[in-house]
Amino acid sequence: MRIVIAGGHGQIALKLERLLARRGDEVAGIIRKAEQAGDLREAGAEPVVLDLESASVEQVADALRGADAAVFAAGAGPGSGAARKDTVDKAAAVLFADAAVRAGVRRFLIVSSMAADPAHQGDEIFDVYLRAKGEADAYVRSLDALDWTILRPGALTDDPGTGLVRLEAHTGRGPVPREDVATVLAELLDTPATAGLTLELISGSTPASVAVKSIAGG
């Protein structure tokens, strides 16, 4: 498969790129800064320098053409203000989804957040973030041209992955290593029957491959 990942220099994205490249997939990662390219090449991914906050739909579609799947793993990051929650966590996700439709890429994964909700109340930055992620998720769900899966991990940690997870429509809160999020994303890419599902993910006791097959009904 050829897979294009938005937010290609993020921690989850780099782990996913390594996983996919190791198993023989062709991977491209969209990054904002040219100086990040070396890290992507080291992970086995082709760097594509493109700023999703200023690029046109057509420019992003050009980066997606010929891909079998697209993964939105970009985020404004914990140090960013409220404005960038809207321009990255929401607007860039919408742009990437529109570009996937234009490029004819049906399989679309988005890394969201537990408790993301377009109706979430509050004015703190984290409230704005949950609202932005929820609005992005709702937009992706509205696109019939995409075979989308929304993954909502719990509290992300840098602990080593165990490969053991709990993946359900509603898991309740809990932590999950970024490495295990990447593992589940790779399994979801291999499991088109998970299209149309919004899934929560935390650490658990089920091997990732089994958890994904189970939620897909197989």
Side-chain angles (χ1 to χ4, degrees):
M1 283 198 295
R2 175 172 171 80
I3 298 141
V4 179
I5 302 171
H9 195 257
Q11 293 181 69
I12 290 171
L14 284 168
K15 294 176 190 303
L16 178 59
E17 286 155 7
R18 285 191 187 92
L19 268 178
L20 297 175
R22 203 179 300 138
R23 73 182 198 183
D25 288 323
E26 185 183 332
V27 193
I30 295 176
I31 52 176
R32 279 194 311 133
K33 300 174 182 175
E35 57 264 32
Q36 297 170 335
D39 291 336
L40 268 74
R41 290 194 188 97
E42 185 272 330
E46 165 203 343
V48 177
V49 181
L50 192 61
D51 187 348
L52 295 178
E53 289 180 89
S54 60
S56 68
V57 174
E58 192 54 43
Q59 286 174 313
V60 183
D62 283 343
L64 281 163
R65 282 196 176 87
D68 299 292
V71 180
F72 186 83
S80 59
R84 292 200 73 229
K85 305 304 182 194
D86 273 332
T87 59
V88 180
D89 293 294
K90 177 187 173 183
V94 167
L95 173 71
F96 197 58
D98 285 342
V101 171
R102 185 171 295 197
V105 180
R106 287 202 64 93
R107 189 70 174 116
F108 191 92
L109 270 56
I110 182 166
V111 182
S112 183
S113 176
M114 199 168 286
D117 182 351
H120 181 84
Q121 299 297 307
D123 300 316
E124 298 296 322
I125 286 180
F126 193 64
D127 297 320
V128 176
Y129 168 76
L130 290 177
R131 213 158 34 241
K133 294 297 273 187
E135 288 167 349
D137 293 354
Y139 185 79
V140 168
R141 285 196 195 103
S142 76
L143 297 175
D144 292 337
L146 295 182
D147 295 328
W148 52 266
T149 303
I150 296 167
L151 184 65
R152 293 179 164 178
L156 298 170
T157 75
D158 290 322
D159 296 335
T162 65
L164 300 174
V165 300
R166 185 176 172 195
L167 180 71
E168 297 170 16
H170 300 288
T171 60
R173 295 185 180 276
V176 62
R178 288 177 172 86
E179 195 173 330
D180 286 338
V181 178
T183 298
V184 168
L185 286 168
E187 293 288 344
L188 289 171
L189 285 167
D190 282 346
T191 315
T194 55
L197 299 179
T198 300
L199 302 169
E200 294 183 352
L201 173 69
I202 58 174
S203 291
S205 57
T206 306
S209 60
V210 176
V212 171
K213 285 184 178 64
S214 174
I215 204 76

